[in-house]
Amino acid sequence: MTTSTIHDIGYRHYDGRRLGRAYVLRSQYVHNLRAAFGLGRPARAKVMPFLLSAVMLLPAAASVAILGFTKEPNALIRYAAYAYTMQVVVAIFLATQAPVIASRELRFHSVPLYFSRPVGHLDFVLAKFGAFVTALFILLAVPVTLLYVGALVTRPDKMKPVMEVVEGENGEMVTGRVQKPDSLVEHTLHYFGGLAGCLLFALVLAAIGLVIAAFTTRRGLGVAAVIAVYMISSTIVVIVQGIAETEANNFTVSGWAGLFSPFNLVDIVQVRLLGAQLTAPAAPSGVVGGLAALAVCAALVAGSIAVLYRRFRKAGLS
Amino acid sequence: MNSTIAMITFRAMLGRKRALLLFVLPFIMLVLAIGLKVTGYADLDVSSNVLHRFGLSTLLPLLALIAGTGVIGPEIDDGQVMYVLTKPIPRQVIIFTKLVVAIVLIVLFAVVPTLLAGLIMSGTTAQVTPALTVGVLLGGIAYAAVFVALGVISRNAVTIGLIYVLVWEILLGNFAPGAKSASIQQWSLSVADKLTEASQIKSTVDLPIAVLLLVVITAAGTALATVRLRSLSVASAE
């Protein structure tokens, strides 16, 4: 539906301004984003998201503090490794908050109320998906940004191109700019690579979490189902990788097996396409491996939106 | 033990598509075991690794979490528990019944599949399979008691249980050995360690302490659940 409608039951006419589709989309997005952190809900709904966000920040804060008080040359955690290292916390956030976004309206059968108003089915799903991706991105990107800012503040000398006296062409001494390996530009590039990785993590995890939560509407069961998928997939992948490497000496299989665990999957893209170092146990070699992993991510996101669209459209009919 | 409560709980846990998750999780482990057997990688190392990592430290806590909190949590949430509490049935009987149902579910969906997967992969070589099955059973009883108590105490029982399993047992267990020793998983592993001569199964806790702690945590969980159910305030649905 592209035009807004006002329910006119004949008592009083409305000829004010009509807020269109973009307004509906934006309202739903903001509402879901707030819900993901428990804002606008009772205090006990805020406990988990904020506790987990705080836990996510702890290692970054500790790393910055260590940089500030010691001579440690580099941050303790690489930007691209942050999400993978903290994956347990991210998985718990995903498991507790995905049902908040995707199960609640289904559990209380309130979806038809939305669709009796000019809210498009796809808009409804996109707003939910976008809001949850944003929430996960905030969860992942804030600590990485803290690491970056911390490095800028505590190691400003390493971030600047260093002025050095070098010998000129005719033998005279001139002052030149020498790029140190860890200069500001390179550092910032790593940071943006890390942010791109965070976005991809957010997209893939939201896709998986929301679909599972939309089909397990019973309270508590959605949480368990999301975490079950995370734990089972990562355990199986680690077991298969272990067997492939130690028993069969087959590193190709072990690399490709990584595609089946969400965190390993995104790490493959980070390593092969964004130039990060490997954090996951294994990755398929070459750009081909990276492109394959990226294709899997894209398929997950597209498939998830399609499934959610069908699910909510069907729920809207009853 | 009250057979009516047991029947209602079984029906709630296994009815319709709710049980799907309960069936899928052990099924995946059996598929993995058969796959490893067919491809010929199922030696003692791999077999004990799979039983330990998948059976004891993934499948068992997950199933105990679903079964333990599932037998009582949803009833308290939607207020149906009032229909049970207003009958002249002692609270300890209610808790005991719920606990028995949870344990039966754990036996069906975690202990038996662990035994089957072990038998498929390595038979009874070095007693690894029976040892880990006993470990999973004892761990399952302790987990069930803890999670039933959590289900009575908190509306966020699943989340709190998850944090215990993932953060305490797995994340902290990797960094702080102290946290690792203070976990149901290590205590049940200790029992398994004693029952097998295979060197692949190793625990950081001594057997007498482990058994004592398992008994204490089970008793404490059951007692706490009973006490909290005595003074349960039924809040309206969220």
Side-chain angles (χ1 to χ4, degrees), chain A residues 154-176:
Chain A
T154 54
R155 293 284 182 279
D157 47 324
K158 292 194 73 174
M159 300 301 158
K160 278 195 224 98
V162 180
M163 299 291 274
E164 269 187 9
V165 180
V166 291
E167 207 169 326
E169 281 170 27
N170 308 325
E172 84 277 14
M173 304 300 263
V174 293
T175 332

Side-chain angles (χ1 to χ4, degrees), chain A residues 41 96 219 227 235-236 247-248, chain B residues 41 43 54 58 77 159 238:
Chain A
R41 302 199 52 77
T96 53
R219 212 185 138 79
I227 213 70
T235 309
I236 288 196
E247 308 270 325
Chain B
Y41 289 119
D43 58 9
F54 202 111
T58 307
D77 271 344
T159 313
E238 187 192 3

Side-chain angles (χ1 to χ4, degrees), chain A residues 235-304:
Chain A
T235 309
I236 288 196
V237 165
V238 167
I239 288 176
V240 169
Q241 282 173 337
I243 292 170
E245 285 178 16
T246 57
E247 308 270 325
N249 235 333
N250 191 336
F251 287 85
T252 319
V253 169
S254 121
W256 288 103
L259 290 178
F260 294 95
S261 136
F263 284 91
N264 202 330
L265 172 72
V266 178
D267 203 46
I268 292 172
V269 180
Q270 284 189 321
V271 172
R272 297 299 176 214
L273 300 181
L274 295 173
Q277 286 175 41
L278 188 64
T279 321
S285 54
V287 178
V288 182
L291 287 176
L294 192 61
V296 173
C297 295
L300 276 175
V301 171
S304 159

Side-chain angles (χ1 to χ4, degrees), chain B residues 213-225:
Chain B
L213 286 171
L214 279 175
V215 172
V216 166
I217 199 89
T218 309
T222 315
L224 186 62

Side-chain angles (χ1 to χ4, degrees), chain A:
Chain A
M1 241 176 277
T2 49
T3 54
S4 58
T5 55
I6 300 289
H7 286 262
D8 185 349
I9 50 173
Y11 290 108
R12 188 165 176 91
H13 300 290
Y14 176 83
D15 23 66
R17 195 160 68 90
R18 290 177 182 226
L19 304 163
R21 183 183 162 189
Y23 181 85
V24 174
L25 195 60
R26 195 167 63 244
S27 305
Q28 295 241 301
Y29 173 80
V30 170
H31 172 76
N32 280 306
L33 183 56
R34 283 168 56 85
F37 286 99
L39 299 172
R41 302 199 52 77
R44 65 163 186 276
K46 296 182 180 74
V47 174
M48 283 320 293
F50 279 94
L51 183 70
L52 292 170
S53 308
V55 172
M56 278 300 282
L57 274 173
L58 274 182
S63 172
V64 171
I66 288 169
L67 278 186
F69 294 113
T70 66
K71 299 280 180 211
E72 189 76 30
N74 284 310
L76 298 181
I77 312 163
R78 288 177 290 112
Y79 299 137
Y82 205 89
Y84 193 89
T85 315
M86 298 296 290
Q87 57 173 293
V88 168
V89 181
V90 182
I92 295 177
F93 184 89
L94 182 73
T96 53
Q97 300 314 113
V100 172
I101 306 280
S103 321
R104 213 168 333 143
E105 281 102 348
L106 293 169
R107 188 186 314 146
F108 297 113
H109 305 290
S110 52
V111 182
L113 300 180
Y114 285 97
F115 293 142
S116 66
R117 292 270 152 177
V119 176
H121 295 93
L122 189 61
D123 287 0
F124 183 77
V125 168
L126 284 179
K128 278 190 179 303
F129 192 82
F132 199 45
V133 169
T134 314
L136 284 168
F137 183 72
I138 291 172
L139 181 79
L140 293 166
V142 169
V144 172
T145 308
L146 180 65
L147 276 181
Y148 176 67
V149 173
L152 284 187
V153 173
T154 54
R155 293 284 182 279
D157 47 324
K158 292 194 73 174
M159 300 301 158
K160 278 195 224 98
V162 180
M163 299 291 274
E164 269 187 9
V165 180
V166 291
E167 207 169 326
E169 281 170 27
N170 308 325
E172 84 277 14
M173 304 300 263
V174 293
T175 332
R177 284 168 150 255
V178 176
Q179 291 275 335
K180 279 253 182 156
D182 208 7
S183 73
L184 183 61
V185 175
E186 185 146 348
H187 197 82
T188 308
L189 278 180
H190 279 166
Y191 169 65
F192 282 121
L195 281 191
C198 289
L199 183 61
L200 197 59
F201 269 115
L203 281 166
V204 168
L205 294 175
I208 297 171
L210 290 182
V211 166
I212 299 168
F215 285 93
T216 47
T217 50
R218 200 163 66 122
R219 212 185 138 79
L221 192 65
V223 180
V226 174
I227 213 70
V229 169
Y230 157 71
M231 278 177 80
I232 297 281
S233 65
S234 47
T235 309
I236 288 196
V237 165
V238 167
I239 288 176
V240 169
Q241 282 173 337
I243 292 170
E245 285 178 16
T246 57
E247 308 270 325
N249 235 333
N250 191 336
F251 287 85
T252 319
V253 169
S254 121
W256 288 103
L259 290 178
F260 294 95
S261 136
F263 284 91
N264 202 330
L265 172 72
V266 178
D267 203 46
I268 292 172
V269 180
Q270 284 189 321
V271 172
R272 297 299 176 214
L273 300 181
L274 295 173
Q277 286 175 41
L278 188 64
T279 321
S285 54
V287 178
V288 182
L291 287 176
L294 192 61
V296 173
C297 295
L300 276 175
V301 171
S304 159
I305 291 177
V307 169
L308 287 173
Y309 173 75
R310 288 176 62 97
R311 174 78 174 129
F312 279 101
R313 198 178 59 170
K314 192 164 166 243
L317 294 176
S318 53

Side-chain angles (χ1 to χ4, degrees), chain B residues 76-97:
Chain B
I76 294 179
D77 271 344
D78 57 24
Q80 282 182 32
V81 76
M82 285 318 285
Y83 299 109
V84 177
L85 296 184
T86 47
K87 299 279 180 296
I89 304 166
R91 298 290 149 90
Q92 62 265 31
V93 172
I94 299 175
I95 289 295
F96 182 69
T97 311

